[in-house]
Amino acid sequence: MKTIDELLAAGVSGKRVFVRADLNVPLDGVTITDDGRIRAVLPTIKALAEAGAKVVVASHLGRPKGAPDPAFSLLPAAERLGELLGAPVAFAQDTVGPAAHDAVDGLQPGQVAVIENLRFNPGETSKDDAERDAFADQLAALADAYVGDGFGAVHRKHASVYDLPTKLPHYAGYLIATEVGVLKKLTEDVRRPYVVALGGAKVSDKLAVIDELLGKADRLLIGGGMAYTFLKAKGHEVGISLLQEDQIPVVTEYMERAEKNGVELVLPVDVLVSPEFPDLKTKAPANPTTVAADAIPADQEGLDIGPETRKLYASKLADAATVFWNGPMGVFEHPDYAEGTRAVAQALVESKGFTVVGGGDSAAAVRTLGFDENAFGHISTGGGASLEYLEGKTLPGLAALED
């Protein structure tokens, strides 16, 4: 895989360089609530601009239906990128049409343009190879070279991620090079003890990675909504908690295999419960009750790990040489259910090992709860991509960057 340094060494002054970034930031209307993904791609964009390239930045945002939708415009991201660069950023109101060509043609060396949301064109996400390829041809007309730096999208077989690199000289940006380097530390010559903390809503989202980790990790800590399927598999009442009953046989088999393989699989010993889900807009007090994990009332819902579980999980993380964390321990967006997630984050901060926060809601939680990002070994920009890499899958966007 050639890197951006090789492109820069060859010279880019005056050349159009297409940067496939991941500007898929969370929005409240037109207000960006977390600009972490924009900041993550800055080193690549700055290096190209400072070397005199005409930088064409492209990304998706959200899940529009293959047609323009103002709710998913990249304009707020383009404006924030300009603020962070300290320089004007041109914005094209289409992806491959006249506005995109005008914006790119108008660039001077060292300037940056952002084209509109790639998913406004159905060819970006099409499962039809020919349709995807045709859109990639249109994108290729905007550039002389391609830099892949949207790690959060490399597990997608999309036109700008998978097809476009084959049509241009292609290189990995700084972010992707960093992310892949980190993931190799989690899969090759791992320093032990290797502890993985998994949370989030659905156990089905994590089954494949658990399956893989049962042969690699020393210890698995389970939290979030997915924990209740494990507790149910142990025969416990889980009330109205999030439950994927159809996954109980798989979870049962995983628990048996963990014991057989000598992998310590740790479940909550107490949880915070409430008869209703909290109001995440008003953050009105929820007044949860703490109960033992095997004593959840039938009319209550588990929404966070309890204080004893927080202590337990912190102790299980304390001696780790390598830690991977993906998924919050509870409904961290509400202050009454944020302490479980905070406890895991704090344990990573205090760890002397190599700590990786696996993107997505985990990365959002770190920022929402006010942690210093530099206190972690690495905060990934792609939760889904990280998980699929750890599952041993071939990621289309990385495969396309290989020669």
Side-chain angles (χ1 to χ4, degrees):
M1 187 184 292
K2 290 187 290 189
T3 68
I4 184 177
D5 285 333
E6 294 173 78
L7 173 61
L8 292 169
V12 293
S13 182
K15 292 185 178 179
R16 302 168 302 162
V17 180
F18 188 103
V19 177
R20 200 333 179 159
D22 179 9
L23 308 182
N24 185 28
V25 291
L27 293 172
D28 182 3
V30 295
T31 302
I32 296 171
T33 57
D34 181 356
D35 66 357
R37 284 176 169 161
I38 302 176
R39 287 185 286 111
V41 77
L42 280 179
T44 290
I45 295 173
K46 279 184 175 179
L48 290 167
E50 288 169 3
K54 300 176 180 180
V55 187
V56 183
V57 181
S59 175
H60 70 286
L61 191 152
R63 296 178 183 272
K65 307 293 186 183
D69 183 339
F72 297 106
S73 175
L74 273 176
L75 179 59
E79 291 174 342
R80 181 58 180 151
L81 177 61
E83 292 171 0
L84 292 168
L85 289 172
V89 168
F91 180 70
Q93 293 183 323
D94 59 27
T95 55
V96 291
H101 282 273
D102 287 348
V104 174
D105 291 346
L107 290 175
Q108 297 298 312
Q111 293 184 334
V112 179
V114 174
I115 62 174
E116 187 53 284
N117 191 338
L118 292 165
R119 291 185 182 175
F120 284 1
N121 190 302
E124 170 67 1
T125 59
S126 177
K127 289 183 169 57
D128 181 272
D129 291 347
E131 186 177 13
R132 247 188 9 259
D133 189 71
F135 183 50
D137 279 335
Q138 292 178 293
L139 292 171
L142 298 171
D144 304 304
Y146 175 94
V147 173
D149 217 27
F151 180 73
V154 293
H155 58 313
R156 305 297 187 192
K157 194 176 181 181
H158 290 171
S160 65
V161 175
Y162 179 74
D163 303 270
L164 180 57
T166 67
K167 301 177 183 297
L168 295 167
H170 48 271
Y171 307 83
Y174 291 127
L175 176 60
I176 278 187
T178 298
E179 294 272 15
V180 171
V182 166
L183 288 167
K184 285 184 177 179
K185 289 185 179 181
L186 298 177
T187 53
E188 303 171 13
D189 300 319
V190 182
R191 289 189 296 144
R192 298 184 180 279
Y194 178 21
V195 184
V196 177
L198 295 175
K202 294 181 178 180
V203 70
S204 56
D205 293 340
K206 304 292 196 302
L207 286 178
V209 76
I210 293 173
D211 184 54
E212 188 72 15
L213 289 168
L214 286 174
K216 294 182 177 176
D218 298 299
R219 200 175 293 151
L220 288 175
L221 314 181
I222 306 295
M226 62 184 286
Y228 301 102
T229 301
F230 279 86
L231 292 172
K232 185 71 172 179
K234 288 179 71 72
H236 301 324
E237 170 65 59
V238 297
I240 57 172
S241 305
L242 191 60
L243 173 66
Q244 289 187 281
E245 202 146 5
D246 60 320
Q247 302 298 336
I248 288 176
V250 182
V251 164
T252 301
E253 191 270 325
Y254 283 0
M255 289 191 290
E256 292 170 353
R257 184 143 52 96
E259 186 173 4
K260 181 181 177 182
N261 291 355
V263 177
E264 187 180 3
L265 197 154
V266 189
L267 298 176
V269 294
D270 62 344
V271 296
L272 269 59
V273 300
S274 172
E276 57 187 12
F277 197 83
D279 189 324
L280 300 184
K281 285 189 180 280
T282 66
K283 306 288 188 4
N287 301 317
T289 304
T290 301
V291 299
D294 61 357
I296 299 174
D299 64 344
Q300 303 274 311
E301 178 177 11
L303 296 164
D304 193 15
I305 57 173
E308 293 305 314
T309 305
R310 293 172 217 154
K311 293 177 192 174
L312 173 64
Y313 285 13
S315 72
K316 297 295 183 181
L317 290 161
D319 67 342
T322 304
V323 180
F324 176 72
W325 168 37
N326 180 280
M329 296 292 110
V331 187
F332 75 91
E333 300 91 342
H334 192 285
D336 286 354
Y337 301 105
E339 294 310 306
T341 302
R342 187 189 305 278
V344 169
Q346 185 62 41
L348 265 66
V349 168
E350 295 173 2
S351 172
K352 293 181 173 61
F354 178 60
T355 56
V356 179
V357 179
D361 284 341
S362 311
V366 162
R367 300 183 184 106
T368 299
L369 299 175
F371 285 92
D372 179 359
E373 294 179 43
N374 295 319
F376 303 88
H378 179 68
I379 298 178
S380 178
T381 56
S386 295
L387 287 176
E388 290 199 14
Y389 190 101
L390 293 181
E391 290 166 16
K393 291 183 177 179
T394 297
L395 306 189
L398 296 185
L401 293 175
E402 299 286 355
D403 290 315

